[in-house]
C-alpha cells in the first residue's frame, strides 16, 4: 500500500506553463485524509516550493534544493550546506570552461558569478532575488544549492567533464536543457525522502515517486515504485519501475487519483 507520494516539479507535477494544476491541491488533501502523505521533491528551494503550494503548505512535506532542505510535519528536519572550500573548488573548476556560468543560492538570494544576461532562464530555473557578485560569498553565508548554466547546449559533455574534475566531491546531474546541478555526495532527493520516510516509519515499498530529469535518478531507484514521465530523459525511463504520461497531460495527478480511488 502506498503511504507516501513524492513528486518532482518541473516537467513532472507542473503543467506546460510551469503552474500547479488546480486539482492537485484537492488531491493532496484527499490523500492526506486517507493517511497518504505527499511530498514535493525538487531542485527548487523551500521558499519557492512553499509559494507553489500555499493552499496546502501545512498539509504536505518538502524535499527541497535537491535534498538540502527537508521539511516533514511542518518541521525543518534537515538542512545541508556546502562547505566554503567546496564552493571555492567548484567556482575554480567552472571557470575553466568559457561556456559555463555558476549560480549559488542561499535561503533567499541567487548569487550570479556572471552578468545576468549570460543566463537564459528556463521554466525550471528561476533566479529569485538575483544579485551579481564578483567574489564568492564569505564563509558565514550558508550556500544551500548551486547550479551551472551551459550557454552552448552541450550539457552532457560538461556534466562528464565536471565529474572528471570534481567527482570525488560532487555528483553532477543534468537538469533541464541547459543546466547542470552539482549535488554534494551523500545528499540527494533520495536522502531527503528517506528522512521523511523515517519520520513516518515507512519502508521503500510504501513510497511512489515521480521525476523526469537526472537529478531524480537516485529517488526513482530508491523507492518501491519509481515512475518516470513519458517526457523524461531516456536513462531515467530505463531504470524506472513504470513510465507514466506527460506532465502536460497531468499524468502525476491521474496517478494520485488512482491511488486515492484504490483506498475506497
Amino acid at each position: 500500500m502506498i503511504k507516501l507520494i513524492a513528486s518532482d516539479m518541473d516537467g513532472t507535477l507542473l503543467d506546460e506553463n510551469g503552474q500547479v494544476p488546480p486539482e492537485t491541491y484537492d488531491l493532496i488533501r484527499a490523500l492526506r485524509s486517507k493517511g497518504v502523505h505527499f511530498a514535493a521533491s525538487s531542485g527548487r528551494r523551500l521558499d519557492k516550493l512553499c509559494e507553489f503550494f500555499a493552499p496546502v503548505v501545512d498539509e504536505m512535506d518538502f524535499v527541497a534544493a535537491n535534498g538540502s532542505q527537508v521539511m516533514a510535519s511542518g518541521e525543518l528536519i534537515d538542512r545541508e550546506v556546502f562547505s566554503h572550500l567546496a564552493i571555492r573548488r567548484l567556482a575554480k573548476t567552472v571557470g575553466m570552461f568559457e561556456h559555463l556560468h555558476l549560480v549559488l543560492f542561499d535561503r533567499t538570494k541567487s548569487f550570479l558569478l556572471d552578468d545576468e544576461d549570460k543566463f537564459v532562464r528556463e521554466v525550471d530555473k528561476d533566479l529569485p532575488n538575483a544579485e551579481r557578485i564578483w567574489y564568492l560569498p564569505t564563509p558565514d553565508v550558508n550556500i544551500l544549492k548551486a547550479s551551472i548554466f551551459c550557454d552552448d547546449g552541450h550539457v552532457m559533455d560538461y556534466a562528464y567533464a565536471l565529474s572528471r574534475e570534481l567527482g570525488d566531491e560532487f555528483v553532477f546531474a543534468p537538469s533541464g536543457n541547459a543546466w547542470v546541478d552539482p549535488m554534494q555526495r551523500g545528499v540527494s532527493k533520495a536522502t531527503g525522502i528517506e528522512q521523511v520516510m523515517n519520520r513516518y516509519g515507512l519502508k521503500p515499498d510504501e513510497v511512489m515517486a515521480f521525476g523526469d530529469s537526472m537529478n531524480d535518478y537516485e529517488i526513482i531507484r530508491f523507492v518501491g515504485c519509481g515512475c518516470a514521465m513519458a517526457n523524461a530523459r531516456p536513462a531515467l525511463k530505463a531504470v524506472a519501475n513504470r513510465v507514466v504520461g506527460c506532465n502536460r497531460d497531468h499524468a502525476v495527478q491521474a496517478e494520485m487519483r488512482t491511488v486515492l480511488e484504490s483506498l475506497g
Side-chain angles (χ1 to χ4, degrees):
M1 176 182 171
I2 298 300
K3 296 182 180 178
L4 171 63
I5 297 173
S7 180
D8 174 50
M9 294 286 284
D10 305 280
T12 305
L13 184 83
L14 302 185
D15 62 22
E16 68 274 21
N17 299 312
Q19 301 298 315
V20 178
E23 69 266 27
T24 309
Y25 305 126
D26 288 337
L27 285 167
I28 291 171
R29 293 189 187 100
L31 285 164
R32 187 63 173 256
S33 73
K34 298 286 188 178
V36 180
H37 300 274
F38 177 83
S41 170
S42 175
R44 293 179 185 263
R45 289 185 322 205
L46 181 60
D47 60 321
K48 302 304 293 183
L49 291 181
C50 288
E51 290 178 11
F52 272 108
F53 292 100
V56 291
V57 71
D58 296 325
E59 303 173 64
M60 58 180 290
D61 306 308
F62 297 92
V63 174
N66 288 323
S68 293
Q69 296 171 295
V70 183
M71 179 174 282
S73 301
E75 177 186 352
L76 187 68
I77 60 175
D78 191 25
R79 186 193 65 163
E80 302 288 342
V81 299
F82 288 79
S83 76
H84 188 64
L85 178 59
I87 289 296
R88 292 208 309 268
R89 288 174 175 164
L90 180 63
K92 181 178 180 180
T93 302
V94 170
M96 293 169 52
F97 304 96
E98 65 172 310
H99 294 289
L100 298 186
H101 311 282
L102 180 63
V103 187
L104 304 173
F105 301 83
D106 71 357
R107 191 174 61 84
T108 61
K109 289 184 178 180
S110 309
F111 299 103
L112 311 184
L113 272 296
D114 275 308
D115 292 337
E116 189 165 358
D117 62 7
K118 297 282 189 183
F119 299 86
V120 177
R121 301 190 188 192
E122 295 184 356
V123 65
D124 60 343
K125 291 291 179 186
D126 52 7
L127 302 175
N129 301 321
E131 179 180 320
R132 171 65 162 100
I133 60 173
W134 283 262
Y135 302 97
L136 291 177
T138 56
D140 60 313
V141 177
N142 292 320
I143 299 301
L144 298 165
K145 177 188 172 185
S147 287
I148 301 165
F149 178 67
C150 311
D151 68 21
D152 66 354
H154 297 297
V155 174
M156 298 304 295
D157 291 2
Y158 290 118
Y160 179 83
L162 291 166
S163 295
R164 298 301 294 171
E165 296 291 336
L166 286 176
D168 58 331
E169 294 184 66
F170 299 98
V171 174
F172 293 93
S175 176
N177 296 316
W179 294 83
V180 176
D181 284 346
M183 300 186 296
Q184 301 177 83
R185 287 208 166 270
V187 179
S188 68
K189 292 182 181 182
T191 62
I193 208 65
E194 184 176 21
Q195 293 183 73
V196 176
M197 290 162 53
N198 290 340
R199 170 57 64 99
Y200 300 126
L202 303 179
K203 303 184 293 294
D205 62 4
E206 296 175 304
V207 184
M208 172 183 282
F210 298 90
D212 75 307
S213 291
M214 296 313 292
N215 61 357
D216 298 307
Y217 189 94
E218 289 84 0
I219 194 170
I220 293 298
R221 293 287 284 156
F222 175 64
V223 303
C225 185
C227 302
M229 307 301 290
N231 51 281
R233 289 187 176 271
L236 195 69
K237 290 194 281 189
V239 301
N241 300 106
R242 293 174 52 206
V243 176
V244 298
C246 294
N247 66 306
R248 65 173 180 269
D249 299 322
H250 303 186
V252 173
Q253 288 77 8
E255 294 294 329
M256 292 169 69
R257 194 172 294 110
T258 297
V259 172
L260 183 61
E261 291 170 353
S262 73
L263 300 173

